[in-house]
Amino acid sequence: MIIERELDGTVRHWPRGCESFYGWGAAEACGRKLHLLLRTVFPAGEDFLSVSRELVRDGQWRGTLCQTARDGSPRLVEAHLALHQPPGGQPPVVIEYLGDAGHSRRAEFARSASEARLHSVFETAADAILVADGQGRIVSANRATLAMFGYKRAEELVGANLAVLMPQGEGARHDGYLARYSASLARGGQAESHAIGVPGRELMARRRDGSEFPIELSVGSFDSHGEKFFTGIVRDITERRQAEEMRHLLLREVDHRAKNALAVALSLLRLTPRQDAETYASSVEGRVAAMARAHSLLAQQQWEGAELQALIEGEILAYRDRVALMGPQIWLTANAVQPAAMVIHELVVNAAKHGAFSTPEGRVALGWSLAPEGELLLCWKEHGLAIDRPPRHAGFGSRLLQSLVHRQLQGQLSLSWEADGLCCRVTLPARLAAGGPGPAPLPARSLPGSAWVAGMATR
């Protein structure tokens, strides 16, 4: 808005912009003293007379004025007053250039609020955010950047080349890329870009201590006052890589286990005696079910192994009230779980057909412990039978036990028929078993042989 007035404040020209801004029409404003019409409040320490003297002395005046519109609402304006001397000795004229300071103040406030919001996002973002200039020098870095790369203060990074965050040898290549990118832009051509604007590139980065780790990088660019800047959003994907590697490992492990289980099942189908169809089907079904239960235990523990007690309880479920258990917490490795489950299953099946579970009085004491050298000792002792003489020939179950313990578990097996039932002792290599966290012995139930189990577990 431009107002023309005399030195004493009398308005000579009142533009349409002033009509809408102040509410007075030109006919109402022209001829009246401007500072009185608008009830102008000058900056502290100044008034109309002091401003007029400054105008005469310097030819101009600048400042912020608070004025009042016709409806009584305040108007804040940035004023530039200039003294103009017309030719021919006419009285001087004051030209007032007025701008809505409220609008500029609101714009400044909005800009400040926007900058505050941006700063809040920048500093609280979970991902690292960096800004670098066209030469690859770091301009700013947020808190996540410092934590991710092992720095304490942003000043340690600001001004440094981005190469400090890259593996050895990558920094020189990056500088060359930036040089080609800038040169292409300077020629006015399309800049070669393999990264700008492309989200989610996976690269390696370097921490302050020199250690390297995988990252996902998204890069953008912007111009400010004729200069090129780059923004980088960095995400540490170490855990993601580890999860992917674990998933691939598990897939390979599942594939291996599935093939191994199928091979064992095929062997059972081929080797199980075919006395009659019903007996054959029952034998195969029981052994495959034991493998399936072991498979489920492995799956629950992500194929890392299984707890021995859980494995045993799954196999003796039908006779749990006739078995006394005693032993500490033992963890079996993944390779040992299925063969060990089949060992217990074969002992249960043998007891059901020929041993302790074949008579109402029969009981079993089952104990386990770790030897000083780390081997797993397991003892199955049956009670309640009256045996005149041991079997003359080893059946298929006994031969399968020998194969499972010797070939698959690389352990030792001892089978002896005592006066009141079978005693089976198994020793497995230390690499297949380990004590669990805070091992707590499982108390034996009050069944025949419980005291013997407790003694075996401590031997």
Side-chain angles (χ1 to χ4, degrees):
M1 297 175 291
I2 301 176
I3 299 175
E4 182 181 326
R5 68 173 176 83
E6 297 176 4
L7 191 58
D8 65 357
T10 303
V11 177
R12 296 175 56 176
H13 174 69
W14 186 260
R16 289 185 178 179
C18 287
E19 293 182 6
S20 60
F21 187 69
Y22 292 108
W24 276 286
E28 298 172 292
C30 289
R32 299 181 64 178
K33 298 291 192 291
L34 181 62
H35 59 288
L36 298 179
L37 174 68
L38 301 180
R39 287 178 279 176
T40 300
V41 177
F42 292 89
E46 297 193 73
D47 54 20
F48 179 75
L49 292 177
S50 65
V51 170
S52 297
R53 286 195 294 269
E54 189 172 335
L55 265 173
V56 173
R57 184 184 72 242
D58 301 331
Q60 63 178 353
W61 181 89
R62 294 176 183 272
T64 302
L65 304 176
C66 184
Q67 300 172 325
T68 304
R70 185 171 187 172
D71 62 3
S73 59
R75 295 290 187 268
L76 193 65
V77 297
E78 296 291 345
H80 177 202
L81 281 54
L83 186 65
H84 176 64
Q85 183 66 54
Q90 298 182 34
V93 175
V94 177
I95 308 298
E96 293 198 8
Y97 302 91
L98 305 177
D100 184 0
H103 175 75
S104 62
R105 293 285 176 87
R106 287 191 296 273
E108 181 180 353
F109 176 79
R111 183 170 59 253
S112 298
S114 177
E115 290 176 354
R117 288 193 297 270
L118 179 61
H119 180 75
S120 175
V121 171
F122 182 78
E123 288 298 340
T124 59
D127 293 333
I129 303 177
L130 297 120
V131 179
D133 62 18
Q135 286 71 48
R137 293 187 297 265
I138 298 172
V139 176
S140 61
N142 68 346
R143 294 173 186 169
T145 301
L146 304 181
M148 185 181 297
F149 288 90
Y151 291 85
K152 294 182 178 180
R153 296 177 295 107
E155 290 77 10
E156 297 178 78
L157 283 175
V158 172
N161 192 287
L162 285 168
V164 301
L165 305 179
M166 301 176 187
Q168 295 291 345
E170 290 294 327
R173 284 194 289 272
H174 181 263
D175 289 342
Y177 165 72
L178 280 181
R180 292 192 302 273
Y181 183 86
S182 300
S184 180
L185 287 178
R187 292 193 301 268
Q190 182 67 34
E192 173 191 1
S193 174
H194 301 295
I196 306 302
V198 179
R201 295 188 71 215
E202 294 190 6
L203 304 168
M204 295 299 293
R206 177 163 56 102
R207 299 186 182 91
R208 185 180 184 183
D209 62 8
S211 61
E212 297 182 5
F213 64 104
I215 63 169
E216 183 180 83
L217 173 66
S218 299
V219 180
S221 64
F222 65 94
D223 294 318
S224 179
H225 303 290
E227 293 186 43
K228 177 68 68 175
F229 292 88
F230 301 96
T231 58
I233 300 177
V234 182
R235 177 169 297 172
D236 185 345
I237 59 172
T238 301
E239 292 185 359
R240 184 203 299 176
R241 286 279 183 89
Q242 292 173 344
E244 290 173 352
E245 291 173 1
M246 179 59 68
R247 184 170 62 252
H248 292 317
L249 177 63
L250 288 175
L251 289 174
R252 291 193 297 270
E253 185 70 17
V254 168
D255 179 66
H256 170 73
R257 297 291 171 192
K259 290 178 180 177
N260 184 62
L262 290 173
V264 173
L266 183 59
S267 298
L268 292 175
L269 289 172
R270 290 174 176 172
L271 299 176
T272 299
R274 295 173 175 82
Q275 298 170 347
D276 59 76
E278 184 177 353
T279 303
Y280 175 77
S282 176
S283 298
V284 171
E285 181 180 353
R287 287 161 180 152
V288 172
M291 293 173 58
R293 287 188 291 271
H295 183 96
S296 297
L297 282 176
L298 283 170
Q300 291 171 11
Q301 300 297 332
Q302 299 185 352
W303 296 89
E304 293 181 357
E307 210 276 318
L308 176 60
Q309 178 184 333
L311 182 147
I312 291 174
E313 290 178 343
E315 297 305 320
I316 66 169
L317 187 61
Y319 304 97
R320 60 184 181 275
D321 292 333
R322 302 173 66 179
V323 180
L325 300 177
M326 173 65 79
Q329 187 175 3
I330 300 292
W331 182 262
L332 295 178
T333 64
N335 291 334
V337 172
Q338 285 188 334
M342 293 189 67
V343 167
I344 302 300
H345 173 76
E346 290 303 317
L347 289 171
V348 171
V349 170
N350 181 77
K353 289 182 178 180
H354 314 291
F357 299 151
S358 65
T359 64
E361 298 80 12
R363 297 291 186 270
V364 171
L366 176 55
W368 61 90
S369 64
L370 286 179
E373 296 77 14
E375 296 96 336
L376 172 60
L377 309 177
L378 187 145
C379 188
W380 170 285
K381 181 66 177 72
E382 299 182 13
H383 300 270
L385 298 178
I387 299 176
D388 296 332
R389 58 184 180 181
R392 295 180 179 179
H393 304 288
F396 175 74
S398 298
R399 294 196 301 273
L400 182 56
L401 278 175
Q402 294 281 356
S403 176
L404 289 169
V405 174
H406 292 160
R407 295 184 181 180
Q408 294 199 43
L409 296 171
Q410 288 81 49
Q412 298 176 4
L413 174 70
S414 170
L415 295 172
S416 61
W417 289 90
E418 300 180 358
D420 57 349
L422 172 68
C423 181
C424 174
R425 291 183 174 85
V426 177
T427 303
L428 299 183
R431 67 177 182 277
L432 300 181
L442 179 70
R445 291 190 290 274
S446 299
L447 296 174
S450 295
W452 173 87
V453 172
M456 187 283 299
T458 59
R459 286 202 294 267

